[in-house]
């Protein structure tokens, strides 16, 4: 019998397993994929020595204490993009209200409105008290779609579209699908400064998220089984039985479930989850962000593009001898969808922003089609941003839940995963000590 079985090998599951393993507990981590990392995935761009992140990778230690602790613990090195090169200036291209521009994207009469919009977002985010649960605060008027929030605050059309496109690229859902409260929580986390998203999300790890996972596994002293998807979790007496899809039954004194919420309903729980939890999970979240790394033939200048297009965010990351390496974030269901398995479809998506681009090769992963993920990190739909975390964190006997989808802090970011992993490990220790 194990002390703890952890289901899910993303940052939340690995953090929980590491903490429990370091405390001397017998821990088994089960992961459905053939790798650890969950919705993070460090790779290498084909035929180059360039390290890429196919999933999440942003690290902001000045605002994210869990990441700061991991960086200090393992001496992880941070890297930032090189400063702009005056000899090779970036060309900014935007798509606003159906018009492509290579200069300031807003009409002059909206410049003041753009500034007002940022203040509106700042003031709304400042209403959130990070020391209290969202469900205990008077914030229901903010748990509406971002589109409805912009309309209620009379945000000018071009400004609203530009901000909405950026939010779509970051979250992976249209403005009418995203709870404003979800976005405001992020703004609150980053110093109540909405402009931070345009200049502050720069740091990544020199050895990638995969390097951090490796350090945590090496340090943790826990057992890992890959390609071991779980079918059922059954609690009886003083033990939990976890049944993998191969039919093997594993017994532990407690369990932590750290899988994406869009696939949580594939696990049969006995006793079942509460009616409230089942209802919350039945509404699949709309996050469907994709991320692509694309090598194109050399461009005349590096580019930085965003707007309501197939890729909402598209920019040059490296200028290699063979060509320019572009990084794109997109969300299908906005304009023309892209087929990430088709070279011509990806090239057409790039050309909506960069008509002269000629695609050489690319790397992308469809997180929606991924059997064990089924979507990007959670995007709270309108009306659920205030309640979801509180519903899902309620105790379920000897079973605890973790994952960035459930976090009360930096929901949908790796920081949120690390936070929930720590909290779940602490609760497991209480259960093992008989104090829960």
């Amino acid at each position: 019998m194990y002390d703890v079985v952890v289901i899910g090998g993303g940052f939340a599951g690995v953090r929980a397993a590491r903490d429990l393993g370091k405390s001397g507990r017998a821990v088994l981590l089960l992961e459905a994929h053939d790798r650890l990392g969950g919705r993070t995935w460090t790779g290498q761009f084909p035929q180059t020595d360039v390290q890429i992140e196919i999933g999440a990778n942003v690290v902001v230690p000045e605002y994210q204490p869990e990441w700061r602790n991991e960086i200090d613990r393992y001496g992880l090195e941070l890297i930032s993009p090189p400063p702009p090169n005056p000899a090779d200036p970036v060309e900014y291209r935007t798509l606003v209200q159906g018009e492509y521009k290579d200069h300031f994207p807003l009409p002059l009469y909206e410049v003041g409105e753009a500034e007002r919009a940022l203040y509106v977002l700042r003031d709304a985010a400042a209403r959130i008290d990070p020391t209290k649960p969202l469900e205990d605060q008077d914030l229901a008027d903010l748990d509406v779609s971002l589109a409805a929030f912009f309309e209620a605050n009379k945000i000018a059309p071009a400004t609203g579209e530009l901000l909405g496109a950026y939010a779509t690229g970051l979250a992976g859902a249209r403005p009418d699908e995203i709870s404003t409260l979800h976005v405001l929580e992020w703004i609150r986390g980053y110093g109540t400064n909405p402009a931070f998203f345009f200049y502050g999300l720069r740091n990544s790890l020199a050895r990638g998220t995969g390097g951090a996972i490796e350090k945590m596994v090496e340090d943790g002293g826990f057992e890992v089984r890959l390609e071991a998807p779980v079918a059922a979790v059954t609690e009886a007496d003083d033990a939990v039985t976890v049944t993998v899809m191969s039919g093997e039954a594993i017994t532990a004194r407690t369990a932590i479930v750290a899988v994406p919420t869009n696939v949580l309903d594939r696990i049969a729980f006995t006793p079942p989850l509460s009616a409230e939890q089942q209802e919350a999970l039945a509404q699949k979240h709309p996050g469907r962000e994709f991320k692509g790394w694309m090598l194109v033939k050399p461009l005349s200048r590096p580019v930085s593009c965003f707007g309501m297009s197939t890729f909402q965010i598209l920019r040059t990351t490296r200028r290699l001898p063979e060509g320019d390496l572009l990084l794109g974030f997109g969300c299908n269901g906005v304009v023309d969808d892209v087929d990430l398995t088709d070279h011509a479809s990806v090239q057409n998506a790039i050309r909506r922003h960069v008509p002269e681009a000629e695609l050489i090769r690319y790397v992308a992963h469809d997180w929606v089609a991924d059997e064990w993920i089924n979507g990007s990190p959670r995007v709270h739909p309108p009306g659920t941003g205030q309640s979801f975390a509180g519903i899902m964190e309620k105790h379920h006997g000897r079973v605890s839940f973790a994952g960035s989808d459930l976090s009360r802090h930096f929901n949908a970011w790796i920081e949120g995963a690390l936070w929930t992993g720590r909290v779940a490990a602490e609760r497991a220790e209480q259960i093992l000590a008989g104090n829960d």
Side-chain angles (χ1 to χ4, degrees), residues 224-295:
V224 175
R225 295 190 199 175
L226 301 177
E227 298 181 282
V230 169
V233 175
T234 303
E235 182 182 356
D237 300 324
D238 294 329
V240 177
T241 300
V242 176
T243 305
V244 296
M245 289 187 178
S246 65
E248 179 187 7
I250 301 162
T251 305
R253 295 169 63 196
T254 184
I256 295 172
V257 181
V259 303
T261 55
N262 268 6
V263 296
L264 190 56
D265 60 359
R266 297 184 188 177
I267 300 175
F269 288 92
T270 304
L273 301 182
S274 70
E276 190 179 31
Q277 289 171 326
Q278 292 183 56
E279 183 179 351
L281 291 171
Q283 183 180 1
K284 301 291 186 181
H285 77 82
R288 53 192 182 278
E289 180 188 49
F290 56 83
K291 182 178 182 180
W293 294 84
M294 299 145 291
L295 184 68

Side-chain angles (χ1 to χ4, degrees), residues 19 132 198 310 372 434:
D19 288 2
K132 297 179 181 178
F198 293 91
T310 312
W372 309 117

Side-chain angles (χ1 to χ4, degrees), residues 271-333:
L273 301 182
S274 70
E276 190 179 31
Q277 289 171 326
Q278 292 183 56
E279 183 179 351
L281 291 171
Q283 183 180 1
K284 301 291 186 181
H285 77 82
R288 53 192 182 278
E289 180 188 49
F290 56 83
K291 182 178 182 180
W293 294 84
M294 299 145 291
L295 184 68
V296 300
K297 290 185 178 180
L299 301 173
S300 60
R301 290 171 59 181
V303 296
S304 179
C305 320
F306 61 99
M308 282 300 186
S309 186
T310 312
F311 285 109
Q312 288 81 52
I313 302 171
L314 181 68
R315 59 182 175 84
T316 301
T317 62
R318 298 279 289 273
R319 308 203 81 183
L320 304 174
E322 189 179 358
D324 286 19
L325 186 62
L326 306 181
L327 171 61
F329 297 87
C331 167
N332 281 333

Side-chain angles (χ1 to χ4, degrees), residues 5 26 144 147 159 175 194 198 211 233 266 271 295 369 407 415 428 435:
V5 171
V144 298
T159 297
F198 293 91
V233 175
R266 297 184 188 177
L295 184 68
S407 180
E415 172 74 4
N435 296 325

Side-chain angles (χ1 to χ4, degrees), residues 31-33 35 38-39 41 263 266 365-375:
E31 167 55 44
H33 291 95
R35 60 174 183 83
R39 288 174 299 211
W41 189 356
V263 296
R266 297 184 188 177
H365 183 69
D366 189 341
W367 294 102
V368 177
D370 190 312
E371 182 179 9
W372 309 117
I373 299 292
N374 191 217

